[in-house]
Structure formats: C-alpha cells, structure tokens
Amino acid sequence: METIFHGKNLDKSLPCFHSLNVEGRGLFAPSLDTEEVPGRDGTLVMGKALPERVIILHFAIKASSSKEHLDTMRALNILLKSEGEEKLTFTDEDGYFLGQVSEVEAPPYNQWEGQGSISFYCADPFLHVPKSPKSGSNVTLDSKAYRLALVEAKIEATGSPVTLKNTSTGDRIAFSTPLTGTLSISKERILLGQEDIVPALDYTVSTWKGFTLRPEDTLMQTGGKSMVVTYEELYL
C-alpha cells in the first residue's frame, strides 16, 4: 500500500518512507443530537448527522544515517503542507478522501529507523469514487453506494429554455429564457460556455444548491440536444 496526498506519492517521493497501515476507514456511525425530557425515561433524539472522519496513517522510516533521517522528515513536512483540504488516496482501494493534516507523531528522534503516524482531518467523511460519465436525455445512476454526488452535467443547449430534473426527487435546475451553447452545471457554478449564468436561473422552481442525488435516481434534461453526467459514488 502507498499513500498519495495533494497529488504526491509519499512512498515514491521519499525512499526512506514506507506506509504501513491506515486507521479510521472502517465502521462509521452518525452523531445523535439528544435532549433529556423531565419525567421521561431515556432521552429524545432530535436529529442526527454524520461527523467528521479522522484517518491515521501509520508509517515507518528506514534511514541509514542521521542526515538521511532528518532530510526525510523535512521533505515529508513539505509534502504534507496544504492550504486546506486536498485529495488523500491509498492505493489499496479505489477513490479518495478530502483531508488535511491535523496531528503527527514523529518517529524516535534518536533512531535512524522507527515508526510514526499522521492524522488527516476529513470534514467530509466520505470516500469519493469517480464513475464513468453517462450520456443521454434520461440517465439512471445505477449504484449501491451510500450516496451520490453530481460532479458536472453538460447539456448542449440549442436555443430553448433548459431544465435539468431529478425525476426521482423532483429537484430541478431550470432556465426560463432560451439558451444556446454548452451548459455546464455543478454544485459550485453554472456556466454557459465561459459565462456565469447563475443570475439567469428560474429561482421560482430551481433547487440548485439543494439538488441531491441518490443511488438509482434518474436525471432528465429538456430543451437541450444531449447531456453528459459525471458523478461520484460516496461510501462510508
């Protein structure tokens, strides 16, 4: 198993670094919001949500000198640097997590060889597994995942109002004015070519930021010539 963070393979970049095992990828439970009610046995569950995930990488350093050990530690500090969340991948599974370093335990300072650990804080607890794009005016997202995430829906608009609808939930992203060109829809932005057209959304019916995908949902586009949907499976 090897570890890739921020696009850099730690094991291949550092000859003395060896990934051993990973803690925190197993069973996962929601956090419950509970309230005590006077005169009532137990508690009242008000809600629940998935908490953050902390992934701990256990590694070994096998250096042949004090200088090689120190050089490896300094190079590792650089490889682990990030301005925020970055992709974290382990080569023994498909997909990636989004995380950043939150804690480290260094190998013994007075030994050339030793073991340590790196903790990655993942505010988003899911393992993201990219899937092959699907095309058509009606696209069913066959999956057994916990949840799905829309990466992008590309629709070739041909001069008519365009709507992207999840026929399973009723969520939709709609434009009441005619559009021409390549319409690109994601959670972060909506572009027509290179132009931001979020202000042109029909907000009376659109649920852009609340647009959700579930396994087996069907997406339908109207008003366009064709559609390509790129999405990810989310696993706990």
Side-chain angles (χ1 to χ4, degrees):
M1 182 198 72
E2 297 175 348
T3 303
I4 303 170
F5 179 64
H6 204 349
K8 300 294 179 63
N9 188 310
L10 304 185
D11 296 79
K12 290 182 178 178
S13 299
L14 305 171
C16 299
F17 181 96
H18 305 279
S19 297
L20 297 178
N21 50 61
V22 179
E23 183 181 348
R25 295 186 292 175
L27 292 175
F28 203 77
S31 294
L32 301 181
D33 179 17
T34 63
E35 292 285 347
E36 293 186 1
V37 179
R40 175 185 173 129
D41 294 332
T43 58
L44 183 64
V45 178
M46 306 299 293
K48 64 180 180 179
L50 294 172
E52 74 284 354
R53 182 189 293 273
V54 177
I55 295 176
I56 303 175
L57 169 65
H58 298 272
F59 67 92
I61 296 295
K62 297 182 179 180
S64 58
S65 67
S66 175
K67 182 180 186 306
E68 187 175 36
H69 182 276
L70 288 172
D71 287 347
T72 299
M73 292 295 98
R74 289 176 179 133
L76 183 57
N77 277 331
I78 294 173
L79 292 176
L80 295 176
K81 180 182 177 182
S82 71
E83 297 301 321
E85 292 183 332
E86 299 291 346
K87 288 185 178 181
L88 172 65
T89 304
F90 303 102
T91 57
D92 62 349
E93 67 178 347
D94 295 330
Y96 64 90
F97 294 96
L98 292 170
Q100 55 189 313
V101 176
S102 59
E103 188 177 347
V104 296
E105 182 177 339
Y109 71 92
N110 58 350
Q111 298 178 22
W112 298 347
E113 297 186 3
Q115 296 184 13
S117 66
I118 304 167
S119 296
F120 295 91
Y121 183 90
C122 303
D124 169 1
F126 290 104
L127 172 70
H128 294 243
V129 181
K131 303 301 293 181
S132 298
K134 288 196 168 189
S135 59
S137 291
N138 288 273
V139 173
T140 298
L141 306 175
D142 303 317
S143 175
K144 301 300 182 184
Y146 188 93
R147 194 178 293 170
L148 301 179
L150 177 67
V151 176
E152 183 182 50
K154 275 192 173 182
I155 300 172
E156 291 300 323
T158 56
S160 300
V162 173
T163 297
L164 173 65
K165 181 179 179 181
N166 184 333
T167 62
S168 305
T169 65
D171 289 349
R172 68 185 66 196
I173 297 169
F175 296 87
S176 57
T177 56
L179 301 177
T180 301
T182 300
L183 180 65
S184 174
I185 300 172
S186 69
K187 280 286 189 181
E188 293 76 31
R189 58 186 181 272
I190 303 178
L191 301 176
L192 184 64
Q194 299 299 317
E195 180 186 358
D196 179 3
I197 61 164
V198 170
L201 272 174
D202 183 350
Y203 283 99
T204 62
V205 296
S206 294
T207 54
W208 174 37
K209 288 298 184 179
F211 195 87
T212 58
L213 290 182
R214 306 170 305 181
E216 310 303 325
D217 278 358
T218 296
L219 296 182
M220 178 183 71
Q221 70 86 14
T222 57
K225 180 181 179 182
S226 61
M227 175 174 67
V228 178
V229 177
T230 306
Y231 66 104
E232 294 179 335
E233 292 182 325
L234 305 182
Y235 291 92
L236 289 175

